[in-house]
Amino acid sequence: MKRYFIAFGLATIVIALPPALITYSEKNEWLIPGFWLIFQFFSSLTFLISLAVIWAQHKNGTLGGQVFLGATTFKLLLCMTVALIYLHKYKVNDVVFVLNYFYLYFLYTAFEIYSLLSNLRVQNKT
């Protein structure tokens, strides 16, 4: 579990570096308004879902897979709902929004899948 916390912290820093550099450069139009709020949403959601799946895997090995599938479906629906609400509330450049939103979505999803699969592999070896 400690290994997951360290990996999550490092992944969050790596994912935050390019937007932070853009914020302090002259290309600030490449970030949507409220980018850091959406970043926090994705970070928190990924953290909570991963903790739920890890807890379910420790409790019961077969339950972990079911929780992972359910959590992934829940995450997809929740993320698309947030995107819809954001686009309804703010008028932004569509290309910039898609780049920002899917940058966060795909990188956090890739981290989530990688960390959960590596955790599952560790359990199968013992």
Side-chain angles (χ1 to χ4, degrees):
M1 189 69 102
K2 183 179 177 182
R3 189 179 73 172
Y4 172 75
F5 290 134
I6 293 169
F8 181 78
L10 289 174
T12 300
I13 290 170
V14 168
I15 293 171
L17 275 177
L21 293 175
I22 290 173
T23 300
Y24 295 111
S25 73
E26 295 179 11
K27 300 282 187 191
N28 203 17
E29 67 272 1
W30 284 94
L31 291 180
I32 57 175
F35 174 83
W36 294 107
L37 185 63
I38 293 175
F39 177 85
Q40 183 180 10
F41 166 74
F42 275 107
S43 178
S44 302
L45 185 63
T46 300
F47 185 74
L48 292 174
I49 286 174
S50 296
L51 282 182
V53 173
I54 291 171
W55 175 79
Q57 285 176 348
H58 286 308
K59 189 160 180 89
N60 182 353
T62 58
L63 183 63
Q66 294 172 348
V67 170
F68 176 69
L69 289 174
T72 301
T73 303
F74 175 72
K75 179 180 177 180
L76 178 64
L77 292 174
L78 187 60
C79 288
M80 291 303 114
T81 303
V82 167
L84 183 66
I85 292 169
Y86 183 88
L87 287 174
H88 185 68
K89 187 173 180 179
Y90 297 104
K91 301 298 179 213
V92 294
N93 183 345
D94 295 338
V95 174
V96 173
F97 175 78
V98 167
L99 289 174
N100 283 225
Y101 200 80
F102 285 109
Y103 169 78
L104 293 173
Y105 181 80
F106 287 133
L107 287 179
Y108 270 116
T109 301
F111 168 76
E112 180 182 334
I113 291 170
Y114 175 77
S115 66
L116 293 175
L117 287 178
S118 65
N119 187 33
L120 183 61
R121 248 183 282 144
V122 169
Q123 286 183 352
N124 285 339
K125 288 181 180 178
T126 58

